[in-house]
Amino acid sequence: MTEIPKKDDIIELKIEDIGAEGVGIGKYEGEFVVFVPGTVPGDTVKARIKKRKKKFAESTLVEIIEPSEKRTIPRCEYFDDCNGCKMQNIDYSFQLEIKRQTVKNAFERIGGFKDIEIPPVLGSEDIYFYRNKLEFSFSNSRWLTKEDMENEHADKDFALGYHIPGFIEKILDIRACYLQSELTNRILNNTRDFFKSRNLSVYSTRSHEGYLRFLTVRRSIATNELMVNLITHTRDNELIAEYSKMISEEIPEVTTLVNSISTTKAQVALADDFDVIFGKGYIEEIIGGCKYKITPNSFFQTNSKQCERLFETVKEFGDFKKDENILDLYCGSGAISLYISGLVKNVHGVELSNESIDMANVNAGINEISNCTFEAKDVKDSLESLINAADSPSTAARFDAFILDPPRSGIHPKAAEYILTYLPGRIIYVSCNPGTQARDLALLAEEYEITRIQPVDMFPHTFHIENVVRLDLKPDSGLLPTE
């Protein structure tokens, strides 16, 4: 029997797999599982045991003896510190295979589905500069990199960048990010230099004081419109006028500037109260011929090009007909509803957020679409009402298909129960979390079978993956809906 390594032992092993959040997995002497952060399948490494359990151990990387052929050199200088693009050291084609395997593992281990076939992931044309939205945080507590620690003149008291996991107020000061555009980097750096030179205070949740909170940049791939949203704790009209002048002169590509005021202690880059400093206060994106108005608080898929591929997959899987009524649950601002509206008789969207529903109606108006209706309601409550209305057929049209696009937490068990009561002929389930999707599909498997699956990579260099599944009522259900 293999002797289990002890704490602080240095061992040599081959990395065979990769787990959650990019942690490499090897087996010591072919048996005992060891997790090694910062490694890639195919690496041969030396690792120091940090924490030992009965069946596995956690470790730290000591040395890469022989690098994997799947390993690449990260483009970003902040790779070791930033928690964003944790797969940037892995060849992109292999990233897609890892994500495909992630979906397969979820369906088999969580959903209990046997011999499930997962097709190749639809990869992103752009693996850098693909996001249409980025959020940066201000902080007076800068995270120091190794280079910063060696620089005695490094400023420890001001940062504009990304959060360090596990450290609430620590921010990694970013000068260049490859997720959105070079223009964004100019906005980021000019904004930092502008406010730092004026010795402006940064908001603290502890004291509930300070001025600067967040910087959000949103861009449209189709129209090239560019929105800068500076989120502050209080108003300072004179200062914002100076900032506006700087932005207009230094980065004339910015089409609209917004100053949002957030007085909440919650550290989220959202605010209901905002002033449009110049421009129209929003940008427009075009996906598949549909225009979408994007305001400072709008939710919208962050990869516009892949968003169209995702919507096309929904359209293809749906096989929608001109005489059909479709129920779009968790519809957000109505993006999918509007995208498929020309293929069907009617679409009814349901979403809890009043703001999202307001935006869905605005987008329907912009596109002169009249066969989409939207309802601000909890999905499970809406489904319950639908079940009750089914007892009076004259009061409600029968929905031929459901579209589900829930948050990462998946659908409520009660919602699954109502779906199994209503029994639409088919369901198209879009998910950003294969784990909760597999769990939900296991609940629906009582009456439905999986007929198509397609993962879509919306977020290159991360472990996130979108997955689209089509479900059809089982032939032997005996409960097929009547016309």
Side-chain angles (χ1 to χ4, degrees), residues 227-464:
M227 177 199 298
V228 173
N229 180 15
L230 182 74
I231 303 175
T232 59
H233 183 228
T234 57
R235 278 185 173 82
D236 188 326
N237 294 333
E238 185 176 340
L239 180 65
I240 289 298
E242 292 180 26
Y243 178 63
S244 173
K245 183 173 183 293
M246 182 276 292
I247 289 290
S248 297
E249 292 177 353
E250 298 295 328
I251 314 165
E253 295 89 346
V254 174
T255 57
T256 188
L257 172 64
V258 176
N259 177 206
S260 295
I261 314 302
S262 174
T263 57
T264 177
K265 285 191 174 183
Q267 285 289 62
V268 291
L270 295 171
D272 293 328
D273 185 12
F274 62 86
D275 301 324
V276 178
I277 309 304
F278 67 76
K280 55 190 182 183
Y282 63 90
I283 61 175
E284 285 186 341
E285 187 61 281
I286 302 173
I287 305 291
C290 280
K291 292 181 180 180
Y292 298 95
K293 179 179 178 180
I294 301 174
T295 64
N297 293 341
S298 293
F299 169 79
F300 199 78
Q301 288 282 1
T302 54
N303 186 335
S304 294
K305 287 185 179 180
Q306 283 297 90
C307 180
E308 184 159 1
R309 297 190 78 183
L310 181 72
F311 290 0
E312 275 296 306
T313 302
V314 171
K315 186 170 79 172
E316 179 189 348
F317 279 21
D319 190 25
F320 302 113
K321 303 294 190 300
K322 276 289 187 179
D323 61 347
E324 290 186 323
N325 297 306
I326 309 301
L327 182 62
D328 185 6
L329 299 172
Y330 312 95
C331 69
S333 56
I336 293 179
S337 295
L338 300 177
Y339 194 87
I340 67 166
S341 61
L343 304 172
V344 301
K345 183 179 179 181
N346 290 298
V347 186
H348 182 66
V350 180
E351 168 64 47
L352 182 61
S353 166
N354 284 290
E355 184 176 4
S356 293
I357 291 300
D358 290 343
M359 191 55 58
N361 285 311
V362 167
N363 288 330
I366 291 173
N367 291 280
E368 299 182 349
I369 293 173
S370 59
N371 67 335
C372 289
T373 56
F374 299 100
E375 176 185 23
K377 197 170 185 178
D378 185 278
V379 164
K380 64 176 173 29
D381 294 339
S382 179
L383 285 169
E384 182 179 20
S385 299
L386 191 63
I387 297 299
N388 293 335
D391 294 332
S392 304
S394 60
T395 65
R398 174 80 195 180
F399 289 105
D400 301 280
F402 285 6
I403 296 172
L404 306 176
D405 189 4
R408 288 189 63 81
S409 56
I411 66 175
H412 192 281
K414 202 68 179 175
E417 181 181 321
Y418 291 140
I419 291 171
L420 290 172
T421 301
Y422 191 86
L423 290 176
R426 62 196 184 282
I427 299 170
I428 312 301
Y429 189 147
V430 184
S431 174
C432 60
N433 186 342
T436 55
Q437 185 184 42
R439 177 205 66 198
D440 296 341
L441 294 178
L443 295 175
L444 298 175
E446 177 183 331
E447 299 290 350
Y448 289 89
E449 61 183 359
I450 297 172
T451 53
R452 299 192 70 176
I453 300 174
Q454 182 58 66
V456 182
D457 186 22
M458 306 288 287
F459 314 104
H461 307 307
T462 76
F463 285 85
H464 300 295

Side-chain angles (χ1 to χ4, degrees), residues 80-81 142-156 164 167 170 172:
D80 291 333
D81 295 280
R142 177 179 172 183
W143 176 265
L144 300 182
T145 64
K146 291 180 181 178
E147 291 76 13
D148 292 333
M149 293 179 185
E150 294 170 358
N151 179 8
E152 61 182 43
H153 301 295
D155 187 350
K156 302 177 182 179
I164 297 294
F167 298 87
K170 289 288 185 181
L172 177 65

Side-chain angles (χ1 to χ4, degrees), residues 136 160 180-194 215-218 226-229 243 246-247 251 253-254 257:
F136 303 99
L160 178 57
Q180 191 170 65
S181 72
E182 292 292 359
L183 273 176
T184 301
N185 290 332
R186 284 170 52 195
I187 294 167
L188 172 69
N189 292 321
N190 283 33
T191 298
R192 176 194 293 102
D193 295 343
F194 177 88
L215 172 70
T216 300
V217 182
R218 307 189 78 149
L226 192 60
M227 177 199 298
V228 173
N229 180 15
Y243 178 63
M246 182 276 292
I247 289 290
I251 314 165
E253 295 89 346
V254 174
L257 172 64

Side-chain angles (χ1 to χ4, degrees), residues 48-80:
R48 184 188 302 276
I49 302 299
K50 182 176 68 174
K51 188 183 298 183
R52 192 186 75 175
K53 302 288 185 179
K54 186 176 180 180
K55 295 184 178 180
F56 67 90
E58 298 174 11
S59 70
T60 55
L61 177 63
V62 175
E63 177 188 354
I64 298 175
I65 300 172
E66 184 177 345
S68 167
E69 62 179 13
K70 307 297 186 183
R71 179 179 283 275
T72 61
I73 298 174
R75 180 175 180 177
C76 181
E77 65 182 287
Y78 304 103
F79 177 76
D80 291 333

